Amino acid sequence: MKFKSRILSAEEIRRALTRIAHEVVEKNKGTDRLCFVGIHTRGITLAQRLRELVRQFEGVEVPMGILDITLYRDDLSEIAVQPKVRETRIPFDIGGRSVVLVDDVLFTGRTARAALDALIDLGRPSRIYLAVLVDRGHRELPIRADFVGKNLPTAKSEVVKVKVREVDGEEAVELWELE
Amino acid sequence: MGTGVMETHTHSAEQPKHLLDFQGWNRAHIESLFETAKMMQEVLSRPVKKVPALTGFTVATVFFEPSTRTRLSFELAARRMSADVLSFSGATSSMSKGESYKDTLLTLDAMGIDAYVIRVDAAGVPHQAARWLGKPIINAGDGWRAHPTQALLDAFSLLERLGSLEGRKIAIVGDILHSRVARSNAELLPMLGAEVWLCGPATLLPGELPRVRLTTDLREALHDADAVMALRLQKERMDRGLLPSEPEYIAGYQITHERLGWAKPEAPLLHPGPMNRDLELEGTLAESPRSLVERQVANGQAVRMAVLYHLLVGRKG
C-alpha cells in the first residue's frame, strides 16, 4: 500500500469529534435516554471520546457499550478466513434509548447493517443514530450516517486509515492507495 | 486499521478441520476456541439467545448410540447459531455394522450437510467418517475412545473457576477404563498445563496412559488436588463382574464431604452427568457450592457453539 495524503490531523480529529458531540446532544434535545455504542475496534475509542466530550459540555455521564458485529456479518458462509469473535458488552438496557452507533469509517454500509441487526437483537431502542469520523462513499446498502466528521470522496482502490492514539499510538486520518 | 471495510482479525494458527480427539490440536487452538466460547456466553446471557452466524449451514447430528443430553446440547448450540439441524438416530443392532455407517452417512451427505456431529459405540467411526465425507466431523463420543467436547467443557469450566490450569492437580475418579470422558480429559488437560491423576479400582484402570498418573489409592489422588472429577459408573459393568459390589465401590471410591477434605479447601467438584446419586457422589454434594455440575451443562452450550463456529466459518476457498 502506498501513502497518498493526510486527510485529518490530530487537531482536526478533535474538532470534528467536538462538533459531533454537540450535534448529538442538540439532535437528542439533551442527554436524556442517550447512549453510545462503539463498534470494534476504533469505533470504541471514538465512542469513549464522544462520551467524554458530552460529559465535559453537559456534566452528564451517558452509558456506553461496545459491539462486535462478527456473528452478524453477511459473508460468513463464503469467506476463506475466519474472523475472530470479539467482545460485545452493553451493560444497560437499550430499550427505549437513543443509541448513537459509532464507527470510524462508513464505506459499503455492511458493518452498519450488521450493527443494526445486532442492536435490535439486544432490545428495542426508540432511535438509532449512526456517527462516523469519515464517510468515504461507495455504499452497497441504503444506509446513511446522521453525524459525519469528514465527507471524503474516494476511489474504490483507495484505503482510508483512521489511526487513534489508544490503538495505533498516533492520531491521524490518512488516504492510501492499494498497489 | 480502520479501512472502512469489515475488519478481519483472524486466528493466527491454522486450525484443525475436525474435532475427533485432540490429535492435531495445540494449546493455541484450544485457547482461541475458549476465547470464542466466552463470547458465546455473552450471547447466551441475552434475552434473545440467537445470532445469525451460521445461517445457510446445515449441521447433522448422527447418533448411532442413544444420548439425550449431548444431542440436545449440540442441537440447541447449532440452532442458537441459526444453522439448520438434521437429526438422525439409528440403533446399530438393526444395521449390519461397518458398511452401514458409511451408507447412512453418504445418504445424509447427499442432502447437503456442512458438518456432522457423530456419536457411536464403535471407536474410530468418526475418523472414518472424516475420510468418507470430507466435511468437518465433531466426535460426540466414540466407544471408550474420545468425547472431546465434554473434555472441552470440563476444561473451560475449570478455567472459569481456577483461572489457570498451569501446575494444577486434577483428580479424575471412577471407571477410567471404560470412560471416553476420562481419556479425552487425559489428553486435553495436560495440554493446558494440568497434572492429571486418574483413580479407580484396579479392574477399572487402563494399563498405561501417556502424560497422566494412575493410582488405585483415592487418598493419593485427592491429596492437595485443585479439582476433583467423578465419573459416571455404569451399573451394567457391575453385573459383568468388572466392578466390585456397590457397597465396595462406595467404601473405596465414592466422593464424600469428608474425602473432599483431602483436596484443597476450595477445590471444585465436577461430574459429566448423568449422575448415580449416592454412588459416585455422596448425597447432596452435586448441589454444594463447590459443584460445577450446572456450570458444566451451561458451558457445554457455549463451547459447542464455539466449536461449530471454528469448524464451519472461513473454511471456503
Side-chain angles (χ1 to χ4, degrees):
Chain A
M1 257 193 309
K2 207 174 82 210
F3 177 79
K4 287 185 83 172
S5 60
R6 166 170 287 204
I7 306 300
L8 296 175
S9 66
E11 187 56 20
E12 287 165 323
I13 292 173
R14 190 189 61 75
R15 285 199 199 106
L17 290 175
T18 304
R19 174 174 51 77
I20 290 175
H22 281 296
E23 286 174 355
V24 165
V25 174
E26 187 185 8
K27 192 140 186 175
N28 192 60
K29 299 186 167 62
T31 55
D32 188 40
R33 308 296 293 156
L34 185 67
C35 66
F36 289 104
V37 172
I39 301 173
H40 274 279
T41 304
R42 287 160 193 77
I44 296 172
T45 309
L46 298 175
Q48 284 162 342
R49 294 201 195 160
L50 288 171
R51 178 180 191 243
E52 173 57 21
L53 288 163
V54 168
R55 194 191 60 77
Q56 286 171 20
F57 306 146
E58 303 290 320
V60 177
E61 292 230 7
V62 303
M64 191 200 131
I66 65 178
L67 185 67
D68 177 58
I69 56 95
T70 303
L71 297 171
Y72 289 82
R73 287 171 61 139
D74 60 8
D75 59 353
L76 289 180
S77 64
E78 43 195 64
I79 51 180
V81 285
Q82 186 172 98
K84 246 184 200 160
V85 183
R86 289 167 294 169
E87 188 182 22
T88 291
R89 181 162 34 88
I90 303 186
F92 51 89
D93 183 4
I94 60 169
R97 286 191 178 272
S98 288
V99 179
V100 182
L101 261 179
V102 185
D103 204 358
D104 53 356
V105 179
L106 179 56
F107 183 25
T108 62
R110 287 180 193 269
T111 300
R113 195 285 308 163
L116 290 172
D117 282 354
L119 268 186
I120 287 162
D121 273 0
L122 294 170
R124 187 173 184 279
S126 61
R127 171 96 221 218
I128 302 176
Y129 297 108
L130 177 61
V132 296
L133 186 57
V134 178
D135 180 350
R136 62 165 294 191
H138 302 287
R139 217 76 78 236
E140 295 170 0
L141 299 171
I143 299 259
R144 59 161 181 76
D146 300 278
F147 309 104
V148 178
K150 170 86 179 169
N151 279 295
L152 180 68
T154 57
K156 270 200 154 176
S157 60
E158 290 170 328
V159 172
V160 177
K161 285 192 189 181
V162 171
K163 296 176 175 175
V164 292
R165 213 171 292 115
E166 295 89 327
V167 181
D168 307 285
E170 56 177 318
E171 190 89 358
V173 175
E174 297 168 352
L175 193 62
W176 291 63
E177 176 82 37
L178 282 175
E179 283 170 300
Chain B
M1 274 177 294
T3 55
V5 292
M6 284 180 175
E7 285 185 83
T8 300
H9 292 252
T10 52
H11 301 281
S12 47
E14 174 116 350
Q15 299 181 76
K17 187 174 178 189
H18 308 285
L19 180 60
L20 303 169
D21 45 38
F22 295 106
Q23 287 282 317
W25 288 74
N26 61 32
R27 187 167 178 160
H29 297 136
I30 303 294
E31 282 169 354
S32 117
L33 185 82
F34 284 170
E35 278 305 305
T36 306
K38 277 187 211 160
M39 304 303 127
M40 297 305 175
Q41 284 184 313
E42 184 275 322
V43 170
L44 294 174
S45 73
R46 298 177 187 175
V48 179
K49 299 168 183 34
K50 187 162 179 142
V51 290
L54 297 185
T55 304
F57 289 99
T58 305
V59 175
T61 58
V62 184
F63 279 57
F64 294 112
E65 177 191 281
S67 152
T68 313
R69 302 154 55 113
T70 304
R71 174 208 275 288
L72 290 177
S73 177
F74 268 112
E75 292 183 356
L76 199 51
R79 292 201 171 97
R80 295 204 190 285
M81 302 285 283
S82 299
D84 290 315
V85 176
L86 183 72
S87 183
F88 173 90
S89 52
T92 47
S93 55
S94 64
M95 304 166 72
S96 70
K97 295 189 183 173
E99 264 315 290
S100 57
Y101 291 128
K102 187 175 182 179
D103 291 344
T104 305
L105 289 167
L106 289 176
T107 304
L108 291 173
D109 208 47
M111 296 181 199
I113 305 297
D114 297 294
Y116 292 82
V117 176
I118 300 177
R119 158 71 64 95
V120 57
D121 56 6
V125 171
H127 289 72
Q128 287 178 291
R131 288 192 294 273
W132 297 331
L133 301 168
K135 305 274 174 63
I137 308 287
I138 300 164
N139 183 0
D142 64 331
W144 307 347
R145 229 189 52 79
H147 190 358
T149 58
Q150 178 70 43
L152 285 169
L153 72 89
D154 292 337
F156 187 79
S157 305
L158 282 167
L159 281 167
E160 205 176 46
R161 180 66 71 94
L162 301 175
S164 156
L165 297 188
E166 203 61 58
R168 301 297 191 126
K169 178 178 177 182
I170 317 285
I172 303 179
V173 180
D175 179 358
I176 307 292
L177 182 63
H178 303 99
S179 174
R180 54 193 171 210
V181 175
R183 270 190 194 74
S184 279
N185 270 303
E187 213 184 349
L188 177 63
L189 298 177
M191 211 192 285
L192 302 173
E195 179 191 316
V196 175
W197 286 70
L198 304 177
C199 175
T203 48
L204 297 180
L205 279 182
E208 206 179 311
L209 273 180
R211 296 193 297 169
V212 297
R213 310 280 293 264
L214 296 164
T215 178
T216 55
D217 181 352
L218 185 64
R219 190 186 276 268
E220 184 187 27
L222 296 196
H223 175 72
D224 240 3
D226 293 281
V228 178
M229 182 188 304
L231 298 172
R232 173 180 165 75
L233 205 63
Q234 306 212 323
K235 292 191 183 178
E236 49 283 14
R237 303 234 152 83
M238 238 172 274
D239 310 332
R240 288 173 27 208
L242 281 170
L243 261 186
S245 68
E246 245 180 75
E248 271 179 275
Y249 182 86
I250 290 168
Y253 297 96
Q254 185 184 64
I255 306 299
T256 62
H257 283 278
E258 191 195 329
R259 289 167 174 174
L260 209 46
W262 299 337
K264 293 232 173 85
E266 303 289 311
L269 176 68
L270 297 88
H271 191 295
M275 211 175 297
N276 296 306
R277 258 170 224 288
D278 286 316
L279 182 51
E280 300 109 18
L281 296 179
E282 179 187 27
T284 54
L285 258 186
E287 284 80 38
S288 78
R290 288 169 73 155
S291 167
L292 292 186
V293 173
E294 264 179 49
R295 289 304 298 159
Q296 288 173 275
V297 176
N299 287 336
Q301 281 275 298
V303 165
R304 289 180 174 117
M305 288 165 77
V307 168
L308 289 169
Y309 181 84
H310 279 249
L311 293 188
L312 277 166
V313 172
R315 301 311 183 100
K316 296 283 165 74

